[in-house]
Amino acid sequence: DVKVTQSSRYLVKRTGEKVFLECVQDMDHENMFWYRQDPGLGLRLIYFSYDVKMKEKGDIPEGYSVSREKKERFSLILESASTNQTSMYLCASSFRARDTEAFFGQGTRLTVV
Amino acid sequence: QKEVEQNSGPLSVPEGAIASLNCTYSDRGSQSFFWYRQYSGKSPELIMFIYSNGDKEDGRFTAQLNKASQYVSLLIRDSQPSDSATYLCAVNPGQIRGYQKVTFGIGTKLQVIP
């Protein structure tokens, strides 16, 4: 079974803290993604990476950065957490070939207080 | 106009009925279409995908594409309470540098009433 594992299921952080969300996949996928999911807004792409050390901005990259030093690991960084970053964060991965499905991690519910 | 639009629901159907979920998309050149199911508190999982050239049936699920009207639908026959979930439509307009910039709709919540 494909596994995409996120480091935390629930996180509570204070405003201004630096927050790291980690994601690891075991299927040798080239592509990895970070989304946030909010009620009424659906899944929105923050960043994606199509290869090691490569990254591209998604639709809402402001306030976030990412790191991909190894193929299996993709990290999302909130440099200075704010309350409007309270959300469900979902990591996903897929093969680069056309029209392959994305496999999602279990999600991290982040609350910034 | 949003790139992928879905009615958030909830859509309520009795057990055993056909549930019909719809999704419209704005990019006429879109090449492939995905339906994900997301149970409450869980992450999305793929249930069907179709290309721009045709419909697809898989067990109780049928995905249909109407290119002229730019909408894709998911039909669930003999709906079961276990089908109660949010269904996300995702559209792939094509590859950019090898990446498929898939866009998701907000999802339609389906409730199957026993």
Side-chain angles (χ1 to χ4, degrees):
Chain A
D1 271 356
V2 173
K3 259 206 149 170
V4 180
T5 304
Q6 296 182 226
S7 53
S8 303
R9 189 75 177 92
Y10 299 96
L11 271 180
V12 180
K13 296 292 182 180
R14 295 195 179 277
T15 302
E17 276 193 78
K18 190 169 186 176
V19 181
F20 293 86
L21 303 183
E22 306 285 343
C23 175
V24 177
Q25 51 94 3
D26 66 359
M27 274 299 291
D28 204 33
H29 286 163
E30 296 92 352
N31 296 333
M32 295 190 76
F33 313 90
W34 275 106
Y35 295 90
R36 61 178 286 177
Q37 187 173 33
D38 301 286
L41 297 176
L43 275 168
R44 293 180 292 166
L45 182 65
I46 304 171
Y47 266 97
F48 68 95
S49 168
Y50 53 90
D51 205 344
V52 176
K53 296 190 186 294
M54 306 305 289
K55 60 185 179 184
E56 292 283 345
K57 293 180 180 179
D59 299 318
I60 50 164
E62 297 79 18
Y64 303 95
S65 62
V66 291
S67 172
R68 193 166 180 201
E69 297 296 319
K70 293 184 178 182
K71 190 174 185 180
E72 67 270 19
R73 187 179 297 269
F74 193 34
S75 302
L76 180 69
I77 304 150
L78 287 68
E79 296 290 341
S80 178
S82 63
T83 55
N84 63 12
Q85 293 178 310
T86 292
S87 185
M88 171 66 82
Y89 289 87
L90 286 160
C91 174
S93 68
S94 72
F95 286 115
R96 190 180 297 163
R98 177 179 175 239
D99 298 324
T100 58
E101 70 174 288
F103 293 87
F104 286 84
Q106 78 276 27
T108 297
R109 171 74 63 184
L110 173 66
T111 303
V112 182
V113 298
Chain B
Q1 182 190 5
K2 289 184 180 178
E3 294 180 44
V4 179
E5 295 209 44
Q6 294 181 261
N7 187 320
S8 60
L11 172 67
S12 295
V13 300
E15 183 175 355
I18 296 175
S20 177
L21 304 160
N22 296 315
C23 164
T24 60
Y25 59 95
S26 60
D27 187 336
R28 189 170 286 278
S30 295
Q31 298 180 0
S32 53
F33 309 86
F34 303 80
W35 283 101
Y36 285 81
R37 178 177 60 201
Q38 186 175 24
Y39 291 113
S40 180
K42 303 292 186 182
S43 54
E45 56 179 345
L46 183 75
I47 53 172
M48 298 258 330
F49 80 90
I50 56 172
Y51 293 107
S52 58
N53 60 350
D55 302 341
K56 188 175 182 179
E57 182 175 321
D58 184 2
R60 296 186 296 113
F61 297 89
T62 299
Q64 298 175 323
L65 174 64
N66 184 319
K67 291 176 69 175
S69 300
Q70 294 178 236
Y71 77 80
V72 58
S73 60
L74 178 70
L75 301 177
I76 307 174
R77 289 181 297 281
D78 188 24
S79 296
Q80 301 297 310
S82 59
D83 295 325
S84 297
T86 296
Y87 290 81
L88 305 174
C89 172
V91 176
N92 173 16
Q95 292 199 7
I96 302 171
R97 288 192 296 275
Y99 165 62
Q100 305 162 64
K101 198 176 185 304
V102 172
T103 302
F104 286 83
I106 63 170
T108 298
K109 185 172 184 178
L110 173 66
Q111 295 177 337
V112 181
I113 312 300

